[in-house]
Amino acid sequence: MQRVVARIGERYGFLDLPDPEEDVVPGVAWGRFEHPLTAAFWVSQAWMAGEPEPADFRLGRTLAEELAACLLGGHGAPAEVGLAAYGRIRNALAQRGDGLLPAEVAEQLLTEPLDVDGRRVLYRFAKQRARHLAEALDGLRRIDADALADVALREALRTLPGIGPKTASWIVRNRRGSDAVAILDVHIMRACRVMGVFPDDADPGRGYVELERRFLAFCEAAQARASVMDATMWATMRGISPRLYNRIVDPPHRFADKRRVTTGGERECRAAAADGTRARHSQAAPQRGTRACGSGAGRSTALKPA
């Protein structure tokens, strides 16, 4: 057994996890919680994130606003740019009051430069997104969301223009705090490949439902809420620079980088060995998908919970 001790709010909490060598799901070892990107690391980070209220995930006040936020924030748009575009669209929706927005109005709003942290940024594919947004908002009126369970609502949203399984899942998770769907974006895919929950060649474009099933099965086995795990992975992975990421994962999962990357943990391991502390060097077999030295306090302190 391994025990996680953390201060959460005004109190200290304790989380007991299985031994690192045990599997959380077949073929995926728990690993050590202080080793970044192991299963135990993610479960402990999600636990430290706390228990959110369903409304904590929401970006919009209505389902129409949530649809606009997720449609504009997906498809490779950086989160900050998507939120800036959504803020402009939400104001226009509020002024109209009917949940609709003509394509030409949306295009004009999205074409004008956005203010993102004091920088003027152009929103990509403004014309296409404006058309999809207008058509999706119109189609949303024909979906009786209150009569549908989470997965059924996700499938209904997928029939709308510009909305695929990831965006539809994002809308449902945000609106309902749902644990029945998964938002398999690039950050979640990368984290799950490193853990071994997904195979290295996993492609959500060809097998979203099966990958979602694997992710939800992992969360269930780990006794972690899928919505919280998803949000924790997203917030953590997007905050890791490519250079740091390449230092803590095995070669098959690394970003391509022409610069020389120092072996992760080499200096730390040498220092620990000099102090007589048991250390694991780069020649030793690492945890699945991770590089870390020994059993001391890990470098996970650089990776803060969401």
Side-chain angles (χ1 to χ4, degrees):
M1 184 187 74
Q2 48 186 327
R3 169 165 286 186
V4 185
V5 182
R7 183 171 181 173
I8 303 175
E10 298 300 319
R11 63 180 179 82
Y12 283 92
F14 301 87
L15 176 67
D16 291 332
L17 298 174
D19 289 333
E21 297 77 16
E22 293 187 30
D23 281 358
V24 56
V25 291
V28 179
W30 277 94
R32 300 192 66 85
F33 72 85
E34 69 267 28
H35 288 183
L37 313 189
T38 61
F41 169 83
W42 287 122
V43 172
S44 63
Q45 293 292 299
W47 169 68
M48 286 187 282
E51 185 68 21
E53 296 294 331
D56 291 344
F57 293 111
R58 293 178 183 173
L59 296 171
R61 295 161 293 191
T62 65
L63 182 58
E65 288 187 355
E66 204 68 57
L67 181 150
C70 297
L71 191 152
L72 295 172
H75 311 283
E80 295 79 9
V81 175
L83 286 173
Y86 164 60
R88 189 174 288 174
I89 292 295
R90 184 172 71 168
N91 290 338
L93 285 171
Q95 290 175 4
R96 288 181 59 90
D98 58 2
L100 299 175
L101 196 64
E104 58 272 18
V105 175
E107 181 179 351
Q108 181 179 2
L109 292 171
L110 294 176
T111 300
E112 297 175 3
L114 301 165
D115 183 359
V116 179
D117 296 329
R119 297 179 295 114
R120 289 169 63 83
V121 178
L122 292 177
Y123 186 80
R124 298 179 63 194
F125 311 117
K127 184 173 183 177
Q128 179 190 63
R129 301 283 179 84
R131 185 180 74 254
H132 286 163
L133 176 61
E135 294 174 353
L137 289 171
D138 181 61
L140 184 62
R141 297 186 302 168
R142 292 181 281 279
I143 296 176
D144 186 1
D146 293 338
L148 299 175
D150 293 353
V151 175
L153 176 57
R154 191 265 302 276
E155 296 307 304
L157 291 170
R158 287 183 61 183
T159 66
L160 301 177
I163 296 182
K166 183 190 73 175
T167 303
S169 298
W170 189 9
I171 296 168
V172 173
R173 194 286 305 271
N174 283 9
R175 188 67 188 162
R176 297 181 170 181
S178 175
D179 295 315
V181 298
I183 311 164
L184 302 182
D185 70 356
V186 63
H187 303 298
I188 309 307
M189 292 297 301
R190 189 171 293 132
C192 288
R193 288 192 189 105
V194 171
M195 271 196 297
V197 173
F198 295 165
D200 289 346
D201 61 353
D203 180 2
R206 294 199 302 265
Y208 196 98
V209 173
E210 170 58 20
L211 294 174
E212 179 182 64
R213 183 196 66 77
R214 289 178 179 233
F215 179 81
L216 296 179
F218 163 72
C219 293
E220 181 179 5
Q223 300 183 31
R225 288 189 57 189
S227 57
V228 178
M229 180 65 72
D230 192 301
T232 300
M233 285 182 171
W234 178 84
T236 303
M237 292 298 288
R238 74 185 299 263
I240 301 177
S241 69
R243 186 171 180 82
L244 174 59
Y245 178 82
N246 284 350
R247 293 190 63 174
I248 59 178
V249 303
D250 288 331
H253 303 287
R254 290 178 180 170
F255 290 110
D257 192 344
K258 295 181 181 179
R259 298 172 300 176
R260 180 179 180 273
V261 178
T262 304
T263 302
E266 183 176 352
R267 293 177 180 175
E268 293 88 340
C269 289
R270 287 179 178 175
D275 291 338
T277 304
R278 182 171 61 88
R280 185 182 304 169
H281 291 269
S282 58
Q283 291 85 356
Q287 296 282 346
R288 177 186 295 273
T290 66
R291 300 185 70 87
C293 65
S295 59
R299 284 156 33 206
S300 59
T301 52
L303 306 177
K304 299 179 181 179

PDB file of all heavy atoms in Angstrom, residues 255-267:
ATOM      1  N   PHE A 255       7.832  14.286 -27.618  1.00  0.00           N
ATOM      2  CA  PHE A 255       7.692  15.212 -28.731  1.00  0.00           C
ATOM      3  C   PHE A 255       8.965  15.150 -29.573  1.00  0.00           C
ATOM      4  O   PHE A 255      10.061  14.988 -29.045  1.00  0.00           O
ATOM      5  CB  PHE A 255       7.521  16.657 -28.234  1.00  0.00           C
ATOM      6  CG  PHE A 255       6.215  16.926 -27.567  1.00  0.00           C
ATOM      7  CD1 PHE A 255       6.157  17.162 -26.207  1.00  0.00           C
ATOM      8  CD2 PHE A 255       5.036  16.950 -28.290  1.00  0.00           C
ATOM      9  CE1 PHE A 255       4.957  17.428 -25.573  1.00  0.00           C
ATOM     10  CE2 PHE A 255       3.833  17.204 -27.678  1.00  0.00           C
ATOM     11  CZ  PHE A 255       3.793  17.444 -26.316  1.00  0.00           C
ATOM     12  N   ALA A 256       8.819  15.304 -30.871  1.00  0.00           N
ATOM     13  CA  ALA A 256       9.988  15.421 -31.731  1.00  0.00           C
ATOM     14  C   ALA A 256      10.672  16.745 -31.424  1.00  0.00           C
ATOM     15  O   ALA A 256      10.050  17.794 -31.408  1.00  0.00           O
ATOM     16  CB  ALA A 256       9.578  15.363 -33.197  1.00  0.00           C
ATOM     17  N   ASP A 257      11.967  16.697 -31.163  1.00  0.00           N
ATOM     18  CA  ASP A 257      12.705  17.900 -30.789  1.00  0.00           C
ATOM     19  C   ASP A 257      14.139  17.740 -31.283  1.00  0.00           C
ATOM     20  O   ASP A 257      14.829  16.795 -30.903  1.00  0.00           O
ATOM     21  CB  ASP A 257      12.688  18.088 -29.267  1.00  0.00           C
ATOM     22  CG  ASP A 257      13.191  19.456 -28.845  1.00  0.00           C
ATOM     23  OD1 ASP A 257      13.821  20.137 -29.683  1.00  0.00           O
ATOM     24  OD2 ASP A 257      12.963  19.828 -27.684  1.00  0.00           O
ATOM     25  N   LYS A 258      14.585  18.676 -32.119  1.00  0.00           N
ATOM     26  CA  LYS A 258      15.930  18.595 -32.669  1.00  0.00           C
ATOM     27  C   LYS A 258      16.990  18.966 -31.643  1.00  0.00           C
ATOM     28  O   LYS A 258      18.158  18.659 -31.815  1.00  0.00           O
ATOM     29  CB  LYS A 258      16.050  19.513 -33.891  1.00  0.00           C
ATOM     30  CG  LYS A 258      15.160  19.085 -35.054  1.00  0.00           C
ATOM     31  CD  LYS A 258      15.343  20.010 -36.238  1.00  0.00           C
ATOM     32  CE  LYS A 258      14.438  19.584 -37.395  1.00  0.00           C
ATOM     33  NZ  LYS A 258      14.584  20.503 -38.565  1.00  0.00           N
ATOM     34  N   ARG A 259      16.562  19.638 -30.581  1.00  0.00           N
ATOM     35  CA  ARG A 259      17.529  20.017 -29.556  1.00  0.00           C
ATOM     36  C   ARG A 259      17.892  18.822 -28.702  1.00  0.00           C
ATOM     37  O   ARG A 259      17.098  17.897 -28.533  1.00  0.00           O
ATOM     38  CB  ARG A 259      16.956  21.121 -28.670  1.00  0.00           C
ATOM     39  CG  ARG A 259      16.630  22.406 -29.402  1.00  0.00           C
ATOM     40  CD  ARG A 259      15.904  23.361 -28.496  1.00  0.00           C
ATOM     41  NE  ARG A 259      14.660  22.791 -28.008  1.00  0.00           N
ATOM     42  CZ  ARG A 259      13.861  23.384 -27.141  1.00  0.00           C
ATOM     43  NH1 ARG A 259      14.184  24.551 -26.637  1.00  0.00           N
ATOM     44  NH2 ARG A 259      12.744  22.803 -26.753  1.00  0.00           N
ATOM     45  N   ARG A 260      19.076  18.847 -28.131  1.00  0.00           N
ATOM     46  CA  ARG A 260      19.501  17.774 -27.241  1.00  0.00           C
ATOM     47  C   ARG A 260      18.706  17.864 -25.948  1.00  0.00           C
ATOM     48  O   ARG A 260      18.609  18.921 -25.345  1.00  0.00           O
ATOM     49  CB  ARG A 260      20.999  17.882 -26.939  1.00  0.00           C
ATOM     50  CG  ARG A 260      21.501  16.779 -26.008  1.00  0.00           C
ATOM     51  CD  ARG A 260      22.997  16.940 -25.787  1.00  0.00           C
ATOM     52  NE  ARG A 260      23.495  15.911 -24.905  1.00  0.00           N
ATOM     53  CZ  ARG A 260      23.491  16.014 -23.577  1.00  0.00           C
ATOM     54  NH1 ARG A 260      23.000  17.092 -23.015  1.00  0.00           N
ATOM     55  NH2 ARG A 260      23.973  15.039 -22.837  1.00  0.00           N
ATOM     56  N   VAL A 261      18.136  16.729 -25.527  1.00  0.00           N
ATOM     57  CA  VAL A 261      17.375  16.686 -24.286  1.00  0.00           C
ATOM     58  C   VAL A 261      18.166  15.894 -23.255  1.00  0.00           C
ATOM     59  O   VAL A 261      18.521  14.735 -23.490  1.00  0.00           O
ATOM     60  CB  VAL A 261      15.995  16.024 -24.501  1.00  0.00           C
ATOM     61  CG1 VAL A 261      15.249  15.942 -23.182  1.00  0.00           C
ATOM     62  CG2 VAL A 261      15.192  16.812 -25.529  1.00  0.00           C
ATOM     63  N   THR A 262      18.476  16.507 -22.129  1.00  0.00           N
ATOM     64  CA  THR A 262      19.218  15.838 -21.069  1.00  0.00           C
ATOM     65  C   THR A 262      18.398  14.706 -20.482  1.00  0.00           C
ATOM     66  O   THR A 262      17.190  14.822 -20.318  1.00  0.00           O
ATOM     67  CB  THR A 262      19.568  16.837 -19.953  1.00  0.00           C
ATOM     68  OG1 THR A 262      20.282  17.926 -20.529  1.00  0.00           O
ATOM     69  CG2 THR A 262      20.422  16.177 -18.881  1.00  0.00           C
ATOM     70  N   THR A 263      19.047  13.584 -20.190  1.00  0.00           N
ATOM     71  CA  THR A 263      18.341  12.456 -19.597  1.00  0.00           C
ATOM     72  C   THR A 263      17.649  12.885 -18.322  1.00  0.00           C
ATOM     73  O   THR A 263      18.282  13.440 -17.422  1.00  0.00           O
ATOM     74  CB  THR A 263      19.326  11.306 -19.284  1.00  0.00           C
ATOM     75  OG1 THR A 263      19.967  10.934 -20.494  1.00  0.00           O
ATOM     76  CG2 THR A 263      18.580  10.118 -18.693  1.00  0.00           C
ATOM     77  N   GLY A 264      16.324  12.635 -18.255  1.00  0.00           N
ATOM     78  CA  GLY A 264      15.538  13.089 -17.113  1.00  0.00           C
ATOM     79  C   GLY A 264      16.020  12.504 -15.801  1.00  0.00           C
ATOM     80  O   GLY A 264      16.186  11.297 -15.677  1.00  0.00           O
ATOM     81  N   GLY A 265      16.293  13.357 -14.844  1.00  0.00           N
ATOM     82  CA  GLY A 265      16.611  12.890 -13.507  1.00  0.00           C
ATOM     83  C   GLY A 265      18.065  12.520 -13.295  1.00  0.00           C
ATOM     84  O   GLY A 265      18.427  12.063 -12.211  1.00  0.00           O
ATOM     85  N   GLU A 266      18.948  12.676 -14.306  1.00  0.00           N
ATOM     86  CA  GLU A 266      20.327  12.221 -14.173  1.00  0.00           C
ATOM     87  C   GLU A 266      21.039  12.905 -13.010  1.00  0.00           C
ATOM     88  O   GLU A 266      21.645  12.246 -12.158  1.00  0.00           O
ATOM     89  CB  GLU A 266      21.074  12.484 -15.480  1.00  0.00           C
ATOM     90  CG  GLU A 266      22.523  11.983 -15.467  1.00  0.00           C
ATOM     91  CD  GLU A 266      23.189  12.189 -16.806  1.00  0.00           C
ATOM     92  OE1 GLU A 266      22.485  12.573 -17.768  1.00  0.00           O
ATOM     93  OE2 GLU A 266      24.419  11.994 -16.879  1.00  0.00           O
ATOM     94  N   ARG A 267      20.938  14.232 -12.954  1.00  0.00           N
ATOM     95  CA  ARG A 267      21.631  14.951 -11.876  1.00  0.00           C
ATOM     96  C   ARG A 267      21.031  14.638 -10.522  1.00  0.00           C
ATOM     97  O   ARG A 267      21.738  14.454  -9.536  1.00  0.00           O
ATOM     98  CB  ARG A 267      21.565  16.455 -12.139  1.00  0.00           C
ATOM     99  CG  ARG A 267      22.355  16.890 -13.363  1.00  0.00           C
ATOM    100  CD  ARG A 267      22.196  18.380 -13.618  1.00  0.00           C
ATOM    101  NE  ARG A 267      22.945  18.800 -14.793  1.00  0.00           N
ATOM    102  CZ  ARG A 267      22.899  20.020 -15.301  1.00  0.00           C
ATOM    103  NH1 ARG A 267      22.146  20.949 -14.716  1.00  0.00           N
ATOM    104  NH2 ARG A 267      23.588  20.325 -16.371  1.00  0.00           N
TER     105      ARG A 267
END
